């Protein structure tokens, strides 16, 4: 049985309850984890609070040194961790390796920033007076992560939080906590002092809420659904806590008539079907210029038909199962809603048939056209392998439609025309715009949604502003020195 990590020790829940983690491809139990309670939260936050003063006082170079050791351990253990991630999450094992590499890259990025944290000095505020801008850690931070990229999304939070001198309590999703626990054990193995990084498991409505409400938790970094983010923000507001919320998205991709079609088709297929479509940054709405519509759709249909659905542990698989049956049902309902309103399926639209698919949450990669603009697929986030496609006449029309969403996470445009690209970058309401590029996140650039896709930024040097307090100090000379 997997256990939580509190004060550097492996522990069970105080209440002793456990829950099963099941493989989405087979339904088999992968392992069990403690079903945590508010009492466990108390212990974990207590450990993080006690560890804070010493960690906040630890030089940046030493903090970075531990993070670099974690990176080395992650690279060494990648082969053991990847199948575990596939078994609990469902993703193809190659994608599990990519996620673990992404995590290592992110932690390395923050270790590297350890030599570049700066405050400020402001001369001559008044005669003889100067100002200083101090950067201090915040305190105990909660990192609440979802199941779609459980370890890399955790890295986006704990990397900057730890480098900045905060201590952390991580809360993984109930259905994908195992690799998170193993990764946190690597941090302990790398020499992180006890209590600096803790992990508790259990239901979001119990453990997650207790963490958000705990008075000693000063900042919440949350990634998950927009509705849960709304709840977290409301709870955090009661004590005016800092929040970073990375929430849902419905990313539009616009392909103009002068685009490099082959690369754009590849980006659309990978962008929609990577991780079985369960990515916040997946391409969820496709707008094609009339002139290239038929050719583009033809190529995308061919590519989609070739994607092999199966158990993520099979090296030939390109699309694993959806993470849960509830997730699959939601996608099915969204597709059915579109069909009922007149949409046409070009490929997919059903579960695959065969004995190997009976026990898992499989669904065929799906392309649809004629989806009305008030259909659920157009207005909601589609968190699975189904993509609605629309024809547009002009860039103005494409941008207007792209912006007709409550979400504003990512967006992309494919064109060889600099003026079109610049216009899209200026006008698309999103935290990120990719121009002629697949939707890849870079640690070097700030990431975070607008509208109901979230508040605050992760990545980039900007993230440190979200994990540090900025304090102003005025220094005046002593009276005898002014004479
Ligand atoms: P979710 O909101 O159901 O759960 C996310 C985490 O919050 C889990 O650990 C869960 O246990 C916890 N939680 C649930 N209720 C809670 C509560 N009341 N208080 C505190 N914590 C609570 O999300 P999910 O289904 O795991 O993930 C899918 C969603 O995440 C999608 O909407 C996706 O777009 C979004 N997402 C966003 C980003 C981003 O960077 N913007 C990245 C990945 C996923």
């Amino acid at each position: 049985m997997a256990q939580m990590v509190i004060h550097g020790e492996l522990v069970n829940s105080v209440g002793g309850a456990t829950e099963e983690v099941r493989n989405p491809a087979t339904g088999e139990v992968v392992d069990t984890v403690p079903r945590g309670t508010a009492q466990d939260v108390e212990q974990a936050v207590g450990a993080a609070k006690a560890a804070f003063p010493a960690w906040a006082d630890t030089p940046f170079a030493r903090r970075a040194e531990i993070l670099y050791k974690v990176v080395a351990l992650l690279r060494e253990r990648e082969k053991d961790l990847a199948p575990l991630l596939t078994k609990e999450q469902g993703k193809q094992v190659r994608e599990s390796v990519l996620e673990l590499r992404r995590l290592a890259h992110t932690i390395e990025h923050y270790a590297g920033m350890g030599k570049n944290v700066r405050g400020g000095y402001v001369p001559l505020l008044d005669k003889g007076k100067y100002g200083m801008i101090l950067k201090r850690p915040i305190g105990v931070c909660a990192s609440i992560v979802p199941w779609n990229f459980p370890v890399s999304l955790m890295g986006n939070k704990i990397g900057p939080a730890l480098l900045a001198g905060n201590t952390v309590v991580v809360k993984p999703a109930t259905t994908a906590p195992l690799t998170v626990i193993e990764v946190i054990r690597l941090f302990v193995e790398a020499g992180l002092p006890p209590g600096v990084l803790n992990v508790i498991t259990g239901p979001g409505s119990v453990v997650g809420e207790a963490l958000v409400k705990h008075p000693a938790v000063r900042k919440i970094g949350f990634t998950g659904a927009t509705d849960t983010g709304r709840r977290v923000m409301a709870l955090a507001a009661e004590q005016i806590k800092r929040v970073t919320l990375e929430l849902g998205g419905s990313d539009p991709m616009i392909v103009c008539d002068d685009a490099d079609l082959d690369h754009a088709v590849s980006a659309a297929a990978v962008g929609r079907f990577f991780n079985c479509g369960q990515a916040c940054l997946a391409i969820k709405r496709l707008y094609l210029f009339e002139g290239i519509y038929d050719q583009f759709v033809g190529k995308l249909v061919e590519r989609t038909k070739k994607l092999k659905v199966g158990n993520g542990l099979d090296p030939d698989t390109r699309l694993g199962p959806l993470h849960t049956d509830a997730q699959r049902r939601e996608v099915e309902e969204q597709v059915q809603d579109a069909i009922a309103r007149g949409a046409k399926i070009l490929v997919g639209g059903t579960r695959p048939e065969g004995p190997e698919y009976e026990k898992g949450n499989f669904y065929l990669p799906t392309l649809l056209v004629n989806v009305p603009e008030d259909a659920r697929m157009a207005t909601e986030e589609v968190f699975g392998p189904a993509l609605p496609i629309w024809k547009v006449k002009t860039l103005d029309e494409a941008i207007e439609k792209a912006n007709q969403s409550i979400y504003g996470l990512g967006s992309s445009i494919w064109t060889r025309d600099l003026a079109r690209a610049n216009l899209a970058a200026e006008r698309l309401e999103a935290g990120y715009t990719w121009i002629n590029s697949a939707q890849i996140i870079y640690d070097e650039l700030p990431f975070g949604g607008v509208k109901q896709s979230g508040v605050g930024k992760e990545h980039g040097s900007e993230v440190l502003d979200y994990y540090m307090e900025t304090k102003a100090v005025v220094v005046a000379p002593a009276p005898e020195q002014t004479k």
Side-chain angles (χ1 to χ4, degrees):
M1 180 183 128
Q3 289 173 295
M4 307 189 287
V5 181
I6 297 180
H7 197 254
E9 306 282 338
L10 289 172
V11 296
N12 295 323
S13 167
V14 175
T18 60
E19 58 194 328
E20 293 171 343
V21 178
R22 287 184 179 269
N23 184 329
T26 62
E28 287 161 6
V29 175
V30 184
D31 205 342
T32 55
V33 284
R35 188 179 167 87
T37 63
Q39 272 177 292
D40 299 304
V41 171
E42 196 58 52
Q43 306 236 332
V45 174
K49 192 176 170 194
F52 176 68
W55 184 243
D57 236 20
T58 302
F60 274 88
R62 173 65 189 142
R63 291 185 208 147
E65 196 183 327
I66 296 172
L67 294 184
Y68 277 125
K69 273 194 198 149
V70 172
V71 173
L73 286 173
L74 275 169
R75 292 190 171 136
E76 194 184 298
R77 311 281 166 84
E78 167 188 295
K79 280 197 177 58
D80 304 328
L81 293 172
L84 177 64
L85 181 53
T86 291
K87 279 186 211 156
E88 66 171 333
Q89 203 282 338
K91 62 183 67 192
Q92 212 277 330
V93 75
R94 209 169 39 97
E95 293 185 11
S96 291
V97 170
L98 289 178
E99 183 177 342
L100 287 156
R101 288 186 186 164
R102 178 83 247 153
L103 168 69
H105 196 274
T106 297
I107 302 299
E108 192 171 44
H109 174 75
Y110 290 110
M113 275 171 69
K115 290 187 174 169
N116 284 299
V117 179
R118 296 279 185 276
Y121 162 74
V122 182
L124 284 173
L125 293 169
D126 263 321
K127 196 164 185 315
K129 274 189 188 174
Y130 63 92
M132 288 193 296
I133 300 163
L134 304 191
K135 292 286 181 181
R136 297 285 304 152
I138 299 172
V140 178
C141 298
S143 299
I144 303 180
V145 288
W147 47 260
N148 61 337
F149 294 95
V151 293
S152 61
L153 295 174
M154 172 180 70
N156 298 346
K157 294 164 180 53
I158 66 177
L162 294 175
L163 180 78
N166 302 291
T167 54
V168 181
V169 178
V170 174
K171 151 70 184 94
T174 35
T175 49
L178 301 173
T179 321
V180 162
I181 292 172
E182 289 307 309
V183 167
I184 284 176
R185 292 179 67 185
L186 295 187
F187 277 78
V188 175
E189 190 179 332
L192 205 64
V196 171
L197 179 62
N198 311 275
V199 55
I200 47 164
T201 50
S205 54
V206 179
V207 168
E209 294 213 1
L211 245 188
V212 173
K213 288 195 259 186
H214 198 294
V217 172
R218 292 307 316 147
K219 195 244 150 91
I220 299 120
F222 171 85
T223 299
T226 293
D227 280 340
T228 321
R230 224 184 299 284
R231 172 84 182 138
V232 167
M233 197 172 192
L235 289 174
E238 287 170 17
Q239 295 170 56
I240 318 290
K241 294 186 181 189
R242 290 157 170 262
V243 289
T244 303
L245 303 175
E246 298 290 357
L247 310 176
S250 182
D251 290 10
M253 173 178 180
I254 300 171
V255 185
C256 301
D257 46 12
D258 60 344
D260 174 344
L261 285 200
D262 287 335
H263 281 110
V265 168
S266 164
V270 176
R272 176 65 281 194
F273 300 123
F274 191 78
N275 205 30
C276 197
Q278 302 162 116
C280 55
L281 279 177
I283 288 162
K284 294 174 184 146
R285 293 176 291 144
L286 181 56
Y287 298 102
L288 304 176
F289 271 46
E290 276 177 333
I292 47 94
Y293 182 88
D294 290 339
Q295 204 189 346
F296 192 104
V297 169
K299 282 174 187 268
L300 188 57
V301 166
E302 282 319 301
R303 223 186 136 104
T304 305
K305 279 185 185 157
K306 286 189 195 141
L307 293 171
K308 185 178 176 317
V309 175
N311 188 322
L313 291 176
D314 177 347
D316 292 335
T317 291
R318 286 293 163 269
L319 217 74
L322 281 115
H323 183 59
T324 59
D325 187 41
Q327 193 61 48
R328 174 172 61 175
R329 281 202 309 274
E330 180 163 309
V331 175
E332 284 176 331
E333 283 166 19
Q334 288 169 322
V335 169
Q336 285 313 315
D337 166 77
I339 293 169
R341 292 166 190 254
K344 187 179 150 213
I345 299 275
L346 295 182
V347 51
T350 59
R351 300 178 182 191
E353 284 175 10
E356 71 273 36
Y357 299 121
E358 269 163 24
K359 298 218 168 102
N361 313 317
F362 297 100
Y363 192 74
L364 288 173
T366 300
L367 300 174
L368 302 97
V369 291
N370 301 339
V371 177
E373 279 166 22
D374 60 352
R376 290 182 57 188
M377 296 198 79
T379 59
E380 297 176 3
E381 176 176 45
V382 180
F383 216 57
L387 180 64
I389 307 171
W390 289 277
K391 196 184 278 186
V392 289
K393 287 192 171 63
T394 62
L395 185 56
D396 280 345
E397 182 191 353
I399 292 175
E400 192 191 324
K401 289 191 163 139
N403 287 342
Q404 270 168 14
S405 171
I406 60 163
Y407 298 110
L409 197 55
S411 56
S412 56
I413 177 161
W414 291 75
T415 177
R416 289 185 165 90
D417 182 334
L418 192 58
R420 282 174 163 174
N422 281 335
L423 190 75
E426 287 287 341
R427 288 185 27 205
L428 283 168
E429 295 168 358
Y432 233 101
T433 295
W434 285 267
I435 299 169
N436 299 324
S437 166
Q439 308 217 160
I440 297 166
I441 285 288
Y442 291 94
D443 287 318
E444 294 85 339
L445 295 175
F447 168 82
V450 302
K451 303 201 276 188
Q452 294 191 33
S453 286
V455 292
K457 296 288 173 195
E458 293 188 334
H459 302 275
S461 52
E462 287 79 358
V463 69
L464 286 187
D465 290 337
Y466 295 88
Y467 281 99
M468 301 196 91
E469 298 284 10
T470 300
K471 179 175 187 179
V473 178
V474 175
V475 185
E480 62 275 15
Q481 293 169 322
T482 55
K483 284 178 193 151

